[in-house]
Amino acid sequence: MNGLINTLLGLKPSPWTEGGARHLEWLEMPRHDKLFLLGLTFAAVVWSVLYLYRREGRSLNLLTRGSLSALRLFALAGVVIMLLEPVIVFTKTEQVPSTILVLRDQSESMDLKDAYASQNYADRLAESLHLNGGVKELRETSRSQLIDRVIGGGLAKTLESNGDRLLASHTFAAQLLSDSTTQPTTQPGGVDRSTTAIGTAVRQAIAAYRGQPLAGILLITDGQSNAGDSPIKAAEYAGSEGIPIISLAAGTAEGPRNAKVTKIEASKTVFVRDPSQLRVILESRGLAKAPATLIMEKRKDGGPWEEFSRQPITLEENGQVQSIPFDFKEERPTRLEIRATLADVGPELTTDDNVATEEIRVIRQKIKVLFIAGNTFPEVEFIRNALLRDSGVAASTWLQAATADYEQPGNPIIRKLPQSQEELNDYDCIVLYDPDPNGWPQQFPQMLSDFVGKAGGGLVYIAGERMTKNLFDRTDDPSAQWLTMLPVVAEPGLYQSEVTMKLSAKEAWKLEITPEGKTDPIFQFDADAEKNDRILANLPGMYWHFPVTRAKPGATVLARHADPRMRNEHGQNVLLATQLVGPGRTFFVAFDSTYRWRYLDEQYFDGFWARMIDRAGRTKQLGGRYPYTLSTDRNTYKPGSQVTLTARFENVADRDSTLDALHGEVEVADSAPIPLSLTPKTGENGVFETTFTVSKPGPHFIKVWSGAEEAKLVVKAATLQIPVELPNLEFERPTVELATLQAMAKVSGGAVFDLTQADQLPAAFRVHKVARVLEDRQEIWHAPLIWGGILLAIFTEWILRKRFRMV
């Protein structure tokens, strides 16, 4: 029967319609007012046809007139049916699996390892994930790897519910990424993982699967969204589409916690019995105000480790650099290893970076000295002999006025002055007594400048009565530019008159030791302060001195002339001053009669010069680096951040007391250097600080030097490089953001689960198989039954009209 009907209507139903239903629909059926007008029109047509045959067929009987009218109306009805475009709709309902969209966060924050500070939660999670290593393994496993374990542990199969659902898996970061499997994943190559856009990923996923039956979205993430559309708005949209968002939250509210010992800052070489200081640099994240213990150990010449300090500390805010000082002193030469261990921190990302070591050489104080004298003089003989018999000094001497066959005393003996920078840099300290530069090698003045300003050597200049005045009279001579390293200024217009000088030289005048001089090591003749003051008061005075105008800014004046006549507008004449020049140090001694101190005690003379040379040459002997270290308050910065730069003298005595500023600059890319001026930090002696703002990303190279601002052209600078990086949004808030996930669940009709509740996820998806109605629509306006009926009605009417002579 159906076959006959299909043939009459011209239907060819698809095979899958077997057993389904069918119904008729009219594509062009008018509605409302149009349908009413159609009914009126059809009624009018019926009346017109009946009226026509009543008028034309008066001679015919009623049956004949009715038959002819029916045939005409049948043909017209067929035309109307064709115009209304009838369609036969075949339908069949079937059950198909629904789809779960699995959206997995693949941003950089998913590579983090959480500390799981809550032991209870950590135990439950380790147990639920069947981790053989327990909590230890849990803390060593990244969020992404834990998700791999959850999915690979049967979650995917359970979600499929025996074929009732299909999983469509995608990863996302700044946007929805390509399809991925539900098996453990690796980092997608060439993909920007530096941001997370949860809202964008949700919208893109829904758009990509529009028209398919969705059971919901499984969102696997830590909840932090720092780019793209609002996650809440996207969840509202999903809710309006009837798509619940079920979240599996990875991470912890505390986030990754970690503390590390960045490094140990210490001089690579220190002297025996010299008080020294090292600093342990710490950095922490997620542990602000948390207590910890810093354990310090040392090992000598590869022996056993010995603990020498244990200090409780409080960790600082994220990224804040902490500098913890420790003092130490060794009594004999050794290879000293220092180990710093951070303990009692609690759960953290890793403990591998809680230890740092540093090796320090402890050496005897034997300084290499080159003593150059222009002419012989009692002071020359006594200083030279004191140097030669000092077991802590290796002294070579050179008397310029000596004949060619004169054997210059020394240990070692030299046959000529150094001819190259390498030869000169082999010394730690140069002592010049009233020298004659005309007898030097041609490049010696420049070598001398580089020796102090770049190699960190010490220079002691002792004024004399023969050469010094002529030398200072030609400071504009390029060959005399090395004099600018000395800590004094001699201006010819302010020299003392010859008469005043001769009057003063008739009697010995005491040194007026300044307060700075009394605390300086070179004037420490005795450990007892009172006894030392008596020695200073009794030191034999001097007759002659070389008058200079003043000390340079930043220099330390250790002694002045006691004669009230020996003064100028800057005060009493300077007799002894010192200052840093780059990493090196210079001394200026304006008188030549310290040998007279031997009358009080020979050790006073010897000790004075030994301590001065030690202080001048110490930096060079310890590697030629600056006596201060540079550090910043953080290890890395972002554009727009403020940097606090600190210069800290390792030995406060190395800081000239009148030093009121250190100069420097910051270089970045091709930009002009940013000038810096570090000033003393209030309340901390030997510490200078400044702040500046970084505006560009990239490495910033900091240079700081001692001396005048223009000294950067002739001295080596202390340097420090800091990275300035664009902000990494993924690591700014590395904690799980449950509030966002819960808000998304509320507006979309979903739920939120943590990793311990992963087995509850399948039950949260309520949709399994869904009914899908299949349709096959076939038009029948041109069916044989319709157009054949129309033709048959028209033809039959025409025959009957012919028969009854109506044509």
Side-chain angles (χ1 to χ4, degrees):
M1 185 64 179
N2 285 338
L4 177 61
I5 295 175
N6 291 344
T7 302
L8 292 175
L9 295 178
L11 300 175
K12 296 180 180 179
S14 301
W16 54 261
T17 62
E18 186 70 28
R22 66 177 70 186
H23 65 273
L24 177 66
E25 291 184 3
W26 304 88
L27 297 182
E28 296 297 328
M29 176 65 72
R31 297 179 181 276
H32 309 300
D33 292 345
K34 291 183 179 181
L35 180 61
F36 177 71
L37 291 175
L38 177 62
L40 291 178
T41 302
F42 191 75
V45 170
V46 170
W47 183 85
S48 298
V49 170
L50 292 175
Y51 177 78
L52 175 65
Y53 275 105
R54 182 181 179 185
R55 182 178 178 183
E56 290 184 350
R58 291 174 181 171
S59 59
L60 301 176
N61 56 42
L62 181 60
L63 179 61
T64 303
R65 288 200 308 269
S67 298
L68 290 172
S69 298
L71 289 171
R72 176 67 63 89
L73 290 174
F74 184 83
L76 290 174
V79 172
V80 171
I81 289 173
M82 294 180 68
L83 292 175
L84 293 178
E85 296 186 21
V87 174
I88 296 295
V89 181
F90 295 89
T91 61
K92 188 175 182 179
T93 302
E94 66 176 1
Q95 297 292 318
V96 297
S98 60
T99 298
I100 296 178
L101 294 181
V102 181
L103 306 184
R104 177 170 172 173
D105 190 345
Q106 198 71 19
S107 60
E108 291 177 352
S109 63
M110 297 301 288
D111 294 336
L112 295 174
K113 301 173 186 177
D114 292 275
Y116 298 96
S118 171
Q119 187 66 37
N120 182 43
Y121 178 74
D123 290 335
R124 287 191 290 113
L125 182 54
E127 182 180 355
S128 66
L129 295 179
H130 307 292
L131 298 176
N132 295 329
V135 175
K136 183 178 185 298
E137 182 180 351
L138 175 66
R139 289 170 176 158
E140 294 174 351
T141 307
S142 69
R143 296 172 180 175
S144 183
Q145 291 170 329
L146 291 176
I147 295 299
D148 288 341
R149 194 171 184 96
V150 169
I151 295 176
L155 177 61
K157 186 176 181 180
T158 309
L159 287 171
E160 290 173 350
S161 188
N162 297 319
D164 285 357
R165 290 188 289 249
L166 302 176
L167 301 185
S169 299
H170 291 266
T171 58
F172 70 92
Q175 61 181 3
L176 195 68
L177 304 177
S178 59
D179 291 351
S180 69
T181 68
T182 57
Q183 299 303 313
T185 58
T186 57
Q187 176 177 337
V191 173
D192 178 15
R193 304 172 62 229
S194 62
T195 55
T196 307
I198 293 177
T200 299
V202 168
R203 286 185 177 273
Q204 290 175 338
I206 293 175
Y209 287 86
R210 183 170 299 282
Q212 297 189 29
L214 298 179
I217 294 175
L218 174 56
L219 182 64
I220 305 174
T221 179
D222 57 16
Q224 295 288 359
S225 184
N226 46 45
D229 296 343
S230 164
I232 310 302
K233 294 293 184 183
E236 289 176 350
Y237 172 69
S240 68
E241 295 287 318
I243 305 171
I245 297 178
I246 313 297
S247 296
L248 178 60
T252 62
E254 300 85 5
R257 294 160 35 112
N258 195 54
K260 66 177 180 179
V261 182
T262 304
K263 61 179 176 178
I264 299 174
E265 287 185 348
S267 176
K268 296 293 184 182
T269 310
V270 299
F271 292 127
V272 169
R273 294 185 294 278
D274 214 10
S276 302
Q277 188 178 80
L278 59 84
R279 308 187 76 84
V280 180
I281 308 302
L282 307 177
E283 187 178 2
S284 61
R285 181 176 68 186
L287 288 164
K289 308 305 178 185
T293 303
L294 189 58
I295 302 171
M296 301 300 298
E297 299 170 284
K298 62 182 179 181
R299 179 166 65 180
K300 301 177 184 178
D301 295 325
W305 288 102
E306 302 174 5
E307 182 178 322
F308 69 89
S309 180
R310 180 180 290 261
Q311 180 174 327
I313 60 171
T314 301
L315 298 173
E316 296 288 349
E317 301 289 340
N318 287 356
Q320 189 75 33
V321 173
Q322 288 180 261
S323 179
I324 313 297
F326 289 92
D327 296 321
F328 68 100
K329 181 171 67 173
E330 292 299 318
E331 299 297 326
R332 63 178 182 82
T334 184
R335 180 174 64 87
L336 184 65
E337 294 174 86
I338 301 292
R339 181 167 69 185
T341 304
L342 196 59
D344 303 329
V345 181
E348 56 176 324
L349 195 63
T350 178
T351 57
D352 293 343
D353 55 5
N354 287 20
V355 179
T357 60
E358 184 63 65
E359 185 172 308
I360 300 171
R361 288 191 308 116
V362 182
I363 62 174
R364 287 193 172 89
Q365 296 179 337
K366 192 158 189 173
I367 293 180
K368 293 191 69 174
V369 179
L370 176 61
F371 177 71
I372 302 175
N375 292 275
T376 187
F377 190 77
E379 186 87 335
V380 172
E381 298 297 330
F382 286 114
I383 293 177
R384 182 171 63 183
N385 291 336
L387 293 177
L388 292 176
R389 65 173 175 263
D390 189 338
S391 60
V393 172
S396 299
T397 69
W398 188 262
L399 180 62
Q400 292 182 277
T403 59
D405 59 349
Y406 177 72
E407 183 173 323
Q408 304 281 359
N411 181 25
I413 294 173
I414 57 174
R415 306 298 178 187
K416 60 181 179 179
L417 288 175
Q419 304 293 307
S420 67
Q421 192 71 55
E422 291 75 15
E423 292 180 10
L424 189 63
N425 287 352
D426 191 43
Y427 295 95
D428 301 314
C429 181
I430 309 296
V431 180
L432 302 177
Y433 178 89
D434 198 24
D436 180 5
N438 294 322
W440 291 347
Q442 183 178 1
Q443 298 300 320
F444 198 83
Q446 183 60 48
M447 290 161 52
L448 202 59
S449 296
D450 291 343
F451 171 77
V452 177
K454 296 181 179 179
L459 175 64
V460 177
Y461 184 92
I462 307 168
E465 300 179 35
R466 294 193 178 186
M467 305 300 304
T468 298
K469 186 176 186 307
N470 292 334
L471 192 57
F472 274 81
D473 281 345
R474 58 185 185 93
T475 53
D476 293 337
D477 187 340
S479 65
Q481 286 300 301
W482 61 274
L483 289 173
T484 60
M485 296 188 296
L486 298 181
V488 293
V489 175
E491 297 169 341
L494 293 177
Y495 279 170
Q496 303 290 337
S497 69
E498 290 294 326
V499 174
T500 304
M501 291 291 294
K502 288 179 180 179
L503 286 174
S504 178
K506 286 185 176 181
E507 57 180 300
W509 287 93
K510 298 283 188 179
L511 279 74
E512 184 182 293
I513 311 298
T514 65
E516 293 79 17
K518 290 182 179 180
T519 59
D520 194 278
I522 68 170
F523 279 119
Q524 298 301 310
F525 295 96
D526 196 282
D528 182 86
E530 292 185 5
K531 188 175 180 180
N532 193 69
D533 287 342
R534 288 197 298 272
I535 295 172
L536 294 177
N538 291 323
L539 287 177
M542 92 297 300
Y543 289 91
W544 175 89
H545 79 286
F546 178 73
V548 294
T549 308
R550 55 184 168 83
K552 287 182 178 177
T556 299
V557 177
L558 304 177
R560 294 181 180 273
H561 207 297
D563 186 348
R565 293 168 294 182
M566 295 296 101
R567 63 177 296 111
N568 56 34
E569 63 187 56
H570 301 286
Q572 295 296 122
N573 284 177
V574 176
L575 292 185
L576 181 57
T578 181
Q579 74 170 3
L580 285 170
V581 178
R585 177 171 290 280
T586 63
F587 279 86
F588 177 77
V589 183
F591 59 101
D592 58 2
S593 52
T594 59
Y595 69 91
R596 302 180 69 244
W597 298 353
R598 297 176 68 255
Y599 304 148
L600 190 63
D601 191 315
E602 188 170 345
Q603 294 303 315
Y604 295 162
F605 174 82
D606 291 356
F608 172 80
W609 286 105
R611 290 189 296 273
M612 182 183 294
I613 290 170
D614 174 77
R615 186 161 182 219
R618 177 184 295 254
T619 298
K620 178 64 169 56
Q621 189 184 17
L622 295 178
R625 64 187 187 90
Y626 272 86
Y628 52 79
T629 56
L630 301 179
S631 62
T632 53
D633 57 331
R634 292 181 178 272
N635 283 336
T636 60
Y637 295 89
K638 304 170 189 174
S641 298
Q642 188 177 69
V643 180
T644 299
L645 175 66
T646 302
R648 186 184 304 272
F649 280 83
E650 297 173 6
N651 187 346
V652 177
D654 288 333
R655 178 222 168 169
D656 294 312
S657 58
T658 56
L659 182 65
D660 57 1
L662 296 173
H663 298 285
E665 62 185 20
V666 182
E667 297 177 352
V668 53
D670 297 328
S671 304
I674 304 170
L676 300 175
S677 181
L678 289 79
T679 55
K681 183 178 180 180
T682 304
E684 290 193 49
N685 192 17
V687 179
F688 289 69
E689 270 191 356
T690 189
T691 58
F692 61 94
T693 301
V694 291
S695 58
K696 296 181 178 179
H700 284 54
F701 196 66
I702 300 173
K703 296 180 178 179
V704 176
W705 58 88
S706 51
E709 189 170 357
E710 60 273 13
K712 67 178 181 179
L713 301 175
V714 294
V715 303
K716 180 184 75 173
T719 60
L720 179 68
Q721 182 170 303
I722 58 172
V724 178
E725 304 169 346
L726 292 173
N728 189 330
L729 298 177
E730 282 299 291
F731 298 144
E732 285 201 348
R733 293 183 299 169
T735 59
V736 66
E737 181 57 37
L738 286 177
T740 298
L741 298 179
Q742 289 167 347
M744 293 178 69
K746 182 177 181 180
V747 299
S748 68
V752 179
F753 301 93
D754 62 35
L755 294 182
T756 64
Q757 303 166 323
D759 58 340
Q760 302 176 30
L761 279 171
F765 292 94
R766 296 184 176 87
V767 178
H768 291 259
K769 283 188 175 181
V770 296
R772 182 172 64 176
V773 178
L774 304 178
E775 287 187 352
D776 183 14
R777 308 173 68 87
Q778 297 194 24
E779 296 180 348
I780 60 170
W781 62 270
H782 57 336
L785 179 64
I786 298 176
W787 57 261
I790 294 173
L791 292 178
L792 179 62
I794 293 173
F795 182 72
T796 302
E797 182 190 12
W798 182 77
I799 293 297
L800 290 176
R801 288 176 67 88
K802 193 81 171 170
R803 168 72 178 79
F804 295 109
R805 301 181 182 277
M806 297 180 69
V807 178

